[in-house]
């Protein structure tokens, strides 16, 4: 190949190389610009000892105990999920602004800071911190916010799910630590009748007063497993009268006993008047509390001795013929 042909190719290769370097530099700069935010606080989440926030109808105040656990000030007996609180703290202390506004770019009233959409206070060490969040600038996809005397714009995504409600901070409670493999007996009182179940040496459920009765093993096991796996959705720490929750005339009273003698007693009340998916429960792990549970658990105990009779081949054949 002649030198005249080689020279243009060499120049073209050099230009391509230069362009590749420029594109790489621009990509790095763009990535750094996207990742860069203005930190609003220089505080570690684990150093926060108290936090409170108001957002719409949500008004929450939390205090950290000496053991590191968190308490809801308005209901100190309510079980709080420390991990959920940690998510709030991380979101607040790690908050960054898109930009800081200079003097004259706006005022408190025009930014909605005189009637804030949310306010967050927290304490770390001997210092109190406050961020006041005003109106949303939909064009910039940001809220106006004030920390001290400084004004900022903060991305709207920063506040999505940040201010958790008490229910979102609630720590679900296990009704018992008895495992299904540890169960020895179970009593189910439906009001109409009381059924006393026992596990025999072969691991089969029997009725104490009628051991030869052919039980639907799956149905009885389902009742026991329901108790062993039961978790709460809410704790009413200062409950009213039992009649408010249907506990004065329960759907079922179930007592489960383990092989080592441990037991748990569960009183299943009515469904909530304003939420058919929720039912009430009182359990022997804490008689002073009324729990909210998923209402579908009630169906496990809607049974009679007759309904728990195992299907015979003749019965199954007849059912198929009827269908």
């Amino acid at each position: 190949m002649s030198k005249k042909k080689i020279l243009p190719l060499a120049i073209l290769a050099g230009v391509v190389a230069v362009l590749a370097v420029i594109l790489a530099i621009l990509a790095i700069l763009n990535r750094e610009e996207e990742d860069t935010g203005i930190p609003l606080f220089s505080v570690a989440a684990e150093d926060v000892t108290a936090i409170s926030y108001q957002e719409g109808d949500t008004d929450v105040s939390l205090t950290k105990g000496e053991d590191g656990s968190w308490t809801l000030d308005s209901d100190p007996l309510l079980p709080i999920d420390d991990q959920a609180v940690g998510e709030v703290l991380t979101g607040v202390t790690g908050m960054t602004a898109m930009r800081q506004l200079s003097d004259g770019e706006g005022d408190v009233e025009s930014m909605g800071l005189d009637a804030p959409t949310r306010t967050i206070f927290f304490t770390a060490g001997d210092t109190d911190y406050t961020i006041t969040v005003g109106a949303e600038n939909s064009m910039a996809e940001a809220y106006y916010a004030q920390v001290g005397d400084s004004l900022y714009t903060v991305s709207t995504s920063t506040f999505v799910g940040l201010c958790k409600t008490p229910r979102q901070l609630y720590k679900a409670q296990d009704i018992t630590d008895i495992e299904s493999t540890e169960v020895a007996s179970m009593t189910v009182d439906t009001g109409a009748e009381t059924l006393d179940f026992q596990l025999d040496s072969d691991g089969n459920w029997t009725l104490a007063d009628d051991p030869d009765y052919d039980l639907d093993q799956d149905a009885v096991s389902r009742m026991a497993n329901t108790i062993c796996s039961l978790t709460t959705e809410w704790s009413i720490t200062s409950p009213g009268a039992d009649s408010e929750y249907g506990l004065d005339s329960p759907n079922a009273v179930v007592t489960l006993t383990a092989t080592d003698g441990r037991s748990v007693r569960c009183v299943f009340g009515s469904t909530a008047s304003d939420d058919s998916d929720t039912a009430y429960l009182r359990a022997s792990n804490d008689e002073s509390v009324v729990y909210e549970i998923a209402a579908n658990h009630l169906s496990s105990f809607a049974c009679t001795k007759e309904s728990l009779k195992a299907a015979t081949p003749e019965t199954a054949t007849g059912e198929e013929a009827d269908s």
Side-chain angles (χ1 to χ4, degrees):
M1 185 178 293
S2 67
K3 291 183 178 179
K4 291 183 179 180
K5 292 182 179 180
I6 293 175
L7 184 59
L9 290 175
I11 294 173
L12 179 61
V15 170
V16 170
V18 171
L19 288 174
V21 172
I22 292 173
L23 288 173
I25 293 172
L26 288 174
I28 292 172
L29 291 175
N30 286 336
R31 186 164 58 248
E32 288 180 348
E33 183 176 347
E34 291 173 358
D35 294 342
T36 298
I38 304 169
L40 297 183
F41 307 104
S42 57
V43 178
E46 57 268 23
D47 293 335
V48 177
T49 55
I51 184 169
S52 62
Y53 47 84
Q54 294 82 43
E55 180 185 70
D57 294 333
T58 300
D59 189 347
V60 169
S61 294
L62 296 153
T63 302
K64 190 176 186 179
E66 293 183 0
D67 61 352
S69 62
W70 287 88
T71 299
L72 184 68
D73 293 354
S74 60
D75 191 353
L77 298 179
L78 189 74
I80 294 297
D81 186 345
D82 293 337
Q83 183 175 342
V85 178
E87 292 172 0
V88 176
L89 299 178
T90 299
V92 172
T93 59
M95 197 177 293
T96 60
M98 298 168 66
R99 58 187 291 259
Q100 183 172 356
L101 304 179
S102 58
D103 293 340
E105 280 195 77
D107 56 73
V108 168
E109 185 175 353
S110 66
M111 295 178 183
L113 293 166
D114 56 337
T117 56
R118 53 184 66 79
T119 308
I120 303 172
F121 310 87
F122 65 95
T123 301
D126 298 326
T127 306
D128 296 327
Y129 301 85
T130 302
I131 177 170
T132 304
V133 183
E136 181 180 8
N137 183 330
S138 57
M139 295 293 292
E141 297 184 345
Y143 280 100
Y144 295 109
Q146 182 173 15
V147 177
D149 295 326
S150 300
L151 300 175
Y152 302 90
T153 55
V154 180
S155 172
T156 55
S157 62
T158 299
F159 301 100
V160 175
L162 179 64
C163 296
K164 297 182 185 295
T165 66
R167 284 189 177 269
Q168 292 171 322
L169 296 170
Y170 177 72
K171 183 177 181 180
Q173 301 296 288
D174 294 326
I175 293 302
T176 183
D177 60 357
I178 298 175
E179 301 290 339
S180 57
T181 55
E182 300 175 309
V183 177
S185 64
M186 175 175 60
T187 300
V188 179
D189 181 358
T190 61
E193 61 182 331
T194 300
L195 303 172
D196 189 1
F197 304 97
Q198 294 181 336
L199 274 173
D200 64 19
S201 57
D202 295 324
N204 295 315
W205 286 104
T206 63
L207 284 171
D209 60 353
D210 192 356
D212 294 327
Y213 191 80
D214 193 11
L215 288 168
D216 182 338
Q217 297 294 314
D218 288 341
V220 181
S221 293
R222 186 160 52 249
M223 288 191 282
N225 291 338
T226 295
I227 301 296
C228 291
S229 61
L230 191 60
T231 58
T232 66
E233 296 183 347
W234 186 251
S235 297
I236 303 172
T237 57
S238 299
D242 284 355
S243 57
E244 295 181 32
Y245 315 103
L247 296 170
D248 55 337
S249 55
N251 278 275
V253 179
V254 183
T255 302
L256 201 69
T257 304
T259 53
D260 61 2
R262 287 176 297 147
S263 67
V264 60
R265 181 175 182 268
C266 297
V267 182
F268 291 85
S270 61
T271 56
S273 59
D274 58 347
D275 184 2
S276 60
D277 292 329
T278 298
Y280 299 112
L281 171 80
R282 174 168 280 136
S284 56
N285 65 341
D286 190 347
E287 297 279 1
S288 67
V289 174
V290 171
Y291 296 112
E292 293 183 4
I293 61 170
N296 58 16
H297 291 312
L298 298 180
S299 62
S300 298
F301 306 101
C303 63
T304 63
K305 179 179 178 180
E306 183 62 29
S307 70
L308 291 173
K309 186 175 180 61
T312 63
E314 293 79 8
T315 303
T317 302
E319 291 173 350
E320 291 173 1
D322 292 339
S323 62

